Amino acid sequence: MMTTDAVIFDLDGVLTDTAELHFIAWQAIANKLNITFDKEDNEKLKGVDRENSLKYILAKGNLAVGTAKFEQLLKEKNDQYLTLINEVNPSHLFDGVLSCFAALKKSNVKIGLASASKNASLVISKLGIEHLFDFIGDAASVANSKPAPDIFLSVAHGLNVLPKNCIGVEDAVAGVRAIKSANMFAVGIGDNQILTQADLVFPSMSEFDFNQVETAFLLSAT
Ligand code: G6P
Ligand code: MG
């Protein structure tokens, strides 16, 4: 029998608008390298880890760089991102997140975090919500990043629940693929024309309705 044991959230673009801050920082790097980088490119990079994001940008510009330069570009991007997230505070939490978490707690559903970002713990503490999670995944400790299922599976393990009893929430195409590969029910946050592999899509977290999610989830098993 299937039960809703946990909901596992992505961070950037689901709980707060850091997806935009990653975009600003990558665009600065791309500009410096004379590579065009627009919102459409950024859509493909959502959920993709730092190294693979830089590889994508370099490939787009047909540019090859040595290891030292590659590392330097990664550092530059992250330094700018850290400056940008320094301003993050609890007011940056998306509308609907706290009421959603409250509904989950009321239903005894565990809450997990599965972000590809090595800065996830810092952002979560700046948002003032770290105490609300039952388990926070560590992007640095998994072998394969999204769209591989690793981070979602490691969070399910950390929460001590079976993946099939978990619901994942993502704003990124790569993230939705990771959830589906982990054999979980996928809720997309954003555009249903983009998040086509999600089982259910809400335009934003303020529309996230746990009763609707749970009903669709339990129905999906029958
Ligand atoms: C998230 C974001 C990506 C970002 C990745 C790595 O998945 O959606 O845009 O590249 O995290 O973030 P980091 O903070 O480790 O560079
Ligand atoms: Mg995201």
Side-chain angles (χ1 to χ4, degrees):
M1 220 216 20
M2 235 159 83
T3 51
T4 318
D5 292 345
V7 179
I8 303 176
F9 293 87
D10 172 46
L11 168 63
D12 300 305
V14 169
L15 304 181
T16 187
D17 200 14
T18 37
E20 183 63 23
L21 304 182
H22 280 293
F23 175 60
I24 293 169
W26 279 130
Q27 201 171 41
I29 296 288
N31 277 347
K32 217 180 80 163
L33 299 170
N34 277 321
I35 299 170
T36 50
F37 182 74
D38 55 25
K39 287 267 175 184
E40 210 175 299
D41 294 310
N42 192 56
E43 204 55 52
K44 293 184 192 136
L45 292 193
K46 286 184 179 173
V48 175
D49 69 13
R50 204 179 304 164
E51 287 74 13
N52 283 310
S53 298
L54 181 56
K55 282 183 191 162
Y56 171 92
I57 292 169
L58 294 172
K60 197 185 172 213
N62 261 325
L63 201 68
V65 298
T67 314
K69 177 80 180 168
F70 190 85
E71 292 300 324
Q72 184 212 322
L73 291 168
L74 288 180
K75 184 178 179 310
E76 252 176 64
K77 187 271 174 175
N78 198 50
D79 286 347
Q80 186 179 2
Y81 182 67
L82 286 173
T83 309
L84 292 168
I85 59 172
N86 204 24
E87 306 299 318
V88 171
N89 64 57
S91 77
H92 292 106
L93 204 58
F94 278 148
D95 285 347
V97 173
L98 289 180
S99 56
C100 167
F101 281 20
L104 297 176
K105 296 224 175 275
K106 211 172 150 200
S107 303
N108 276 320
V109 175
K110 290 177 178 172
I111 300 175
L113 187 81
S115 171
S117 172
K118 294 181 180 122
N119 297 302
S121 292
L122 176 61
V123 175
I124 288 296
S125 73
K126 285 194 153 287
L127 290 169
I129 53 170
E130 73 243 89
H131 61 289
L132 298 176
F133 289 92
D134 296 292
F135 189 81
I136 293 181
D138 176 16
S141 73
V142 297
N144 305 298
S145 62
K146 299 171 188 177
D150 302 29
I151 185 83
F152 282 95
L153 293 174
S154 79
V155 174
H157 184 78
L159 290 169
N160 201 21
V161 295
L162 292 174
K164 72 173 177 67
N165 292 333
C166 294
I167 295 167
V169 187
E170 266 286 353
D171 69 316
V173 174
V176 169
R177 280 179 59 199
I179 296 171
K180 294 315 297 174
S181 306
N183 194 26
M184 297 177 184
F185 185 85
V187 176
I189 301 297
D191 186 340
N192 60 10
Q193 304 288 316
I194 293 174
L195 304 174
T196 52
Q197 288 188 29
D199 297 296
L200 184 64
V201 178
F202 295 109
S204 74
M205 273 305 290
S206 51
E207 279 94 359
F208 186 104
D209 174 348
F210 180 57
N211 286 332
Q212 194 187 334
V213 171
E214 192 170 36
T215 305
F217 172 53
L218 297 175
L219 271 174
S220 73
T222 57

